[in-house]
Amino acid sequence: MSVSIKPLEDRIVVQAVEAEQTTASGLVIPDTAKEKPQEGEVLAVGPGRWNEDGDERVPMDVKVGDRVIYSKYGGTEVKHGGTEYLILSARDVLAIVG
C-alpha cells in the first residue's frame, strides 16, 4: 500500500492495526472499552535526521512494510483521503515485530 504523505527528517507514517474485536470467550468488546492500538504497519519513511555535524543523515532503523510497536501516546493522528494515519518520530518506535 502506498500513501501520498511524505514524512520529513526521522518521521514515519504508520497505519494502526486494529485490536481484536472479541475476547477469548467470545464477548464483543465495545469501541469505548478498546485500548488505543500500539501496533501498525509502516507505510512511508523519511530520509532520516542529520547528524550533529550536519553533514550526513543518520540511517533509519525501519523500512516500508515493517510492522512496529510504538509508544501508546506517541505521534500525531492525521486523516488523509478518508483514511487515518499516525505520523511518528523514529524515537517513538519501540520494536519491529517480526
Side-chain angles (χ1 to χ4, degrees):
M1 171 185 239
S2 127
V3 64
S4 62
I5 300 172
K6 183 179 178 189
L8 302 175
E9 295 281 327
D10 66 339
R11 306 257 183 328
I12 63 172
V13 177
V14 173
Q15 187 166 29
V17 176
E18 288 300 317
E20 289 289 323
Q21 302 289 330
T22 58
T23 64
S25 61
L27 296 174
V28 176
I29 302 170
D31 287 339
T32 55
K34 289 181 190 172
E35 285 193 28
K36 188 173 180 179
Q38 287 181 259
E39 187 174 328
E41 181 181 351
V42 177
L43 301 179
V45 178
R49 64 179 170 80
W50 291 100
N51 66 7
E52 290 185 19
D53 296 331
D55 57 355
E56 63 182 50
R57 291 201 184 261
V58 176
M60 297 288 281
D61 292 329
V62 297
K63 62 186 180 309
V64 173
D66 282 348
R67 198 169 182 119
V68 294
I69 296 174
Y70 49 85
S71 298
K72 193 169 203 165
Y73 299 105
T76 301
E77 294 175 351
V78 295
K79 192 169 190 174
H80 180 72
T83 306
E84 290 187 16
Y85 301 103
L86 187 64
I87 299 177
L88 295 166
S89 169
R91 292 178 195 96
D92 291 329
V93 175
L94 304 175
I96 297 173
V97 179

